[in-house]
């Protein structure tokens, strides 16, 4: 029930989107993110809900998770998205749908990535794996860290490793930097 | 200026999201999709705007494209997203942000994929390419064609090859099926 722990109604609620849910230690990662949020006077809501009955049939369970996530998003005031590339040239698919939802709702969107590799380079790596004619498709190269629709949606610039060195996938260093900037924006 | 051609105000406007913009024949593909929309009594709006000044500096151009796309999305009543996997386990990143935006706006979301390969299989292929510890992360396997946040957002079930055989990346066969279902829903 950690995802639903009570918070002061005065604290802005931040939805913690990201592929963190696929980590072997997802519960601990969610807890660490919530603790950092509290440090900055924010109430973190992580889409990792141990109250869900994981023994449900797959076709019922996935929709229950979807509805559960959407309920958490609705009660959140903003999103901090972990946009670290995940199984492809770009950020995690579910995270991107959620980011777009917040943009469509007119709520602030913040994001970070632990990767220092640019989008065009990752796109070329993926294109090289593809068969023809898919390999011949255009490469989006604006010198950005990910697709321009992601970049454009951000309320503040994407938080990236300032030294150009990628951090481990589960590092919370960039999350912390992003959180600090988001907290400043939300309280300013 | 094809993207802005006048339409009857009575026709529902459909935003045609997808990585089609990266095709070598993107303009022709956009025109083919718009023609199919017209066939079903819909006004297709494709995010391929030849009026944009592509000679602008990259850091100005990407935001101009973003704003241009968002303006087209705002005037659209619904989205048909090409969710064919693109450079990774999932659909194109920009398309997913746009899909999420329509969901957040409460507008109908329709989608199709030309791939008959399930999400879990594509995820495993991508995980196999990753270095440790990224390779050890969880695989989302609900027997779905893509991430559950995509599936949950759809107004109608995802249109997929009914015979289990993937279609070429630029095939419009599944688009046409999806369009027919969307038109029926929008007019029903």
């Amino acid at each position: 029930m950690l995802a639903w722990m009570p918070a002061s109604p005065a604290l802005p609620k931040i939805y913690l989107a990201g592929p963190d849910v696929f980590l072997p230690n997802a519960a601990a990662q969610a807890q660490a993110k919530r603790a950092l949020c509290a440090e900055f006077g924010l109430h973190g809501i992580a889409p990792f809900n141990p109250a869900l009955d994981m023994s449900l049939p797959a076709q019922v369970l996935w929709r229950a998770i979807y509805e559960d996530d959407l309920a958490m998003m609705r009660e959140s005031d903003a999103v901090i998205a972990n946009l670290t590339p995940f199984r492809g040239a770009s950020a995690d698919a579910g995270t991107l749908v959620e980011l777009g939802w917040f943009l469509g709702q007119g709520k602030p969107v913040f994001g970070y990535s632990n990767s220092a590799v640019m989008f065009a380079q990752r796109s070329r790596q993926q294109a090289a794996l593809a068969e023809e004619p898919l390999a011949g498709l255009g490469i989006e190269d604006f010198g950005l860290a990910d697709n321009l629709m992601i970049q454009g949606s951000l309320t503040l610039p994407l938080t990236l490793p300032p030294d150009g060195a990628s951090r481990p996938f589960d590092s919370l260093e960039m999350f912390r930097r992003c959180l600090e900037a988001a907290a400043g924006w939300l309280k300013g």
Side-chain angles (χ1 to χ4, degrees), chain A:
Chain A
M1 300 295 287
L2 285 171
W4 303 100
M5 67 182 174
S8 157
L11 296 185
K13 292 181 180 175
I14 310 296
Y15 185 74
L16 304 171
D20 309 55
V21 291
F22 300 113
L23 285 167
N25 62 338
Q29 184 82 345
Q31 184 49 43
K33 281 191 157 185
R34 281 191 294 257
L36 279 168
C37 285
E39 213 177 284
F40 286 99
L42 301 173
H43 175 55
I45 297 179
F48 183 85
N49 186 358
L52 277 172
D53 178 4
M54 301 302 279
S55 70
L56 288 170
Q59 68 272 27
V60 176
L61 180 57
W62 77 260
R63 197 171 282 280
I65 296 173
Y66 172 81
E67 295 296 346
D68 195 60
D69 286 359
L70 209 58
M72 294 189 223
M73 289 155 65
R74 284 197 193 99
E75 72 162 327
S76 297
D77 301 301
V79 62
I80 293 185
N82 177 355
L83 297 168
T84 307
F86 188 66
R87 294 180 182 155
S90 285
D92 169 59
T95 303
L96 294 179
V97 172
E98 294 174 349
L99 177 149
W101 185 91
F102 278 88
L103 183 70
Q105 289 270 310
K107 297 180 182 185
V109 174
F110 306 100
Y112 71 95
S113 171
N114 290 344
S115 172
V117 181
M118 289 296 99
F119 179 47
Q121 186 180 332
R122 298 195 310 268
S123 297
R124 284 190 197 97
Q125 287 166 349
Q126 287 285 334
L129 298 171
E131 292 171 20
E132 292 294 345
L134 218 58
L137 266 62
I139 300 285
E140 181 186 309
D141 189 358
F142 295 109
L144 297 173
D146 211 324
N147 184 288
L148 68 87
M149 291 306 299
I150 300 176
Q151 298 280 342
S153 71
L154 297 171
T155 303
L156 292 175
L158 185 65
T159 301
L160 291 168
D163 54 7
S166 295
R167 301 299 193 268
F169 184 77
D170 60 354
S171 166
L172 292 176
E173 186 188 343
M174 294 309 123
F175 172 70
R176 190 191 174 96
R177 278 176 177 264
C178 182
L179 189 55
E180 185 170 11
W185 191 92
L186 288 164
K187 293 172 179 179

